[in-house]
């Protein structure tokens, strides 16, 4: 393989489970019907991931959404599948880390845990720091890497 490649991919998933006053995305007005950007959808997203997994390079990928990834099982399954690609070094997922343990277990059991990194953002208006730190620790205990950062407004 040739040189390593770092990718920051803004996926077209745009629904969130929080309702922060400082959010510019129009939450919670986005419904399941329009959770994907117009002209895109899960198939478009999967095609991009397939292209990435076929690149002849070692890939480190950070995947961001305009919302919360764990609210879509199909989206999270696509990231778990990506972690199984031989050329993927790691999959870093931006999340608000409000997932249930059941939801996280479902994801991490189908992924290669040591290739998964969570970049968790604490949203002080919508969730307690205790809940987020517990979830971040749970992810680490499950074999993933995780970072916690907070928004200061």
């Amino acid at each position: 393989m040739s040189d390593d490649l770092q990718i920051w991919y803004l996926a077209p998933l745009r629904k969130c489970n929080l309702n922060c006053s400082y959010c510019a995305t129009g939450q919670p007005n986005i419904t399941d019907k329009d959770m994907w950007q117009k002209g895109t959808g899960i198939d478009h997203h999967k095609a991009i991931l397939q292209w990435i997994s076929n690149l002849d390079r070692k890939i480190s990928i950070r995947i961001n959404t305009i919302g919360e990834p764990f609210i879509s099982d199909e989206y999270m399954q696509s990231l778990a599948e990506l972690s199984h690609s031989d050329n993927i070094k790691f999959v870093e997922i931006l999340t608000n880390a409000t997932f249930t343990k059941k939801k996280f277990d479902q994801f991490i059991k189908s992924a290669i845990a040591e290739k998964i990194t969570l970049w968790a953002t604490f949203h002080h208006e919508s969730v307690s720091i205790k809940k987020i730190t517990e979830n971040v620790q749970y992810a680490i205990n499950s074999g993933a890497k995780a970072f916690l950062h907070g928004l200061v407004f």
Side-chain angles (χ1 to χ4, degrees):
M1 287 196 194
S2 55
D3 296 325
D4 289 3
L5 183 63
Q6 296 178 357
I7 296 175
W8 189 338
Y9 167 44
L10 179 58
L13 181 70
R14 60 190 201 114
K15 185 175 180 184
C16 188
N17 58 334
L18 301 180
N19 188 21
C20 303
S21 65
Y22 47 82
C23 184
T25 64
Q27 305 293 346
N29 300 319
I30 298 169
T31 65
D32 287 345
K33 182 180 176 187
D34 61 356
M35 76 165 48
W36 294 94
Q37 291 283 60
K38 288 182 181 176
T40 70
I42 190 68
D43 292 334
H44 179 81
H45 166 72
K46 286 180 178 179
I48 291 169
L49 295 186
Q50 184 64 43
W51 172 78
I52 290 168
S53 68
N54 287 328
L55 291 172
D56 188 26
R57 294 173 178 237
K58 285 288 188 185
I59 305 293
S60 301
I61 184 166
R62 172 183 268 193
I63 301 181
N64 193 16
T65 63
I66 307 170
E68 173 52 33
F70 277 94
I71 64 173
S72 172
D73 292 340
E74 197 171 25
Y75 177 82
M76 292 308 295
Q77 183 59 37
S78 73
L79 301 185
E81 290 168 6
L82 181 65
S83 75
H84 287 271
S85 297
D86 291 337
N87 69 326
I88 299 297
K89 291 172 69 173
F90 68 81
V91 178
E92 185 174 271
I93 304 163
L94 280 72
T95 175
N96 61 32
T98 58
F99 49 78
T100 63
K101 289 177 175 61
K102 180 180 176 182
K103 180 80 72 171
F104 185 79
D105 287 344
Q106 177 185 343
F107 164 68
I108 204 67
K109 286 179 182 172
S110 61
I112 297 177
E114 53 273 2
K115 286 187 175 184
I116 301 299
T117 302
L118 298 185
W119 188 265
T121 303
F122 170 58
H123 294 270
H124 67 282
E125 286 185 358
S126 302
V127 65
S128 74
I129 189 68
K130 183 177 188 286
K131 164 107 171 127
I132 298 306
T133 54
E134 286 173 356
N135 281 356
V136 166
Q137 188 62 58
Y138 188 80
I140 292 168
N141 293 346
S142 299
K145 295 176 190 74
F147 299 92
L148 175 60
H149 71 280
L151 298 176
V152 182
F153 290 103

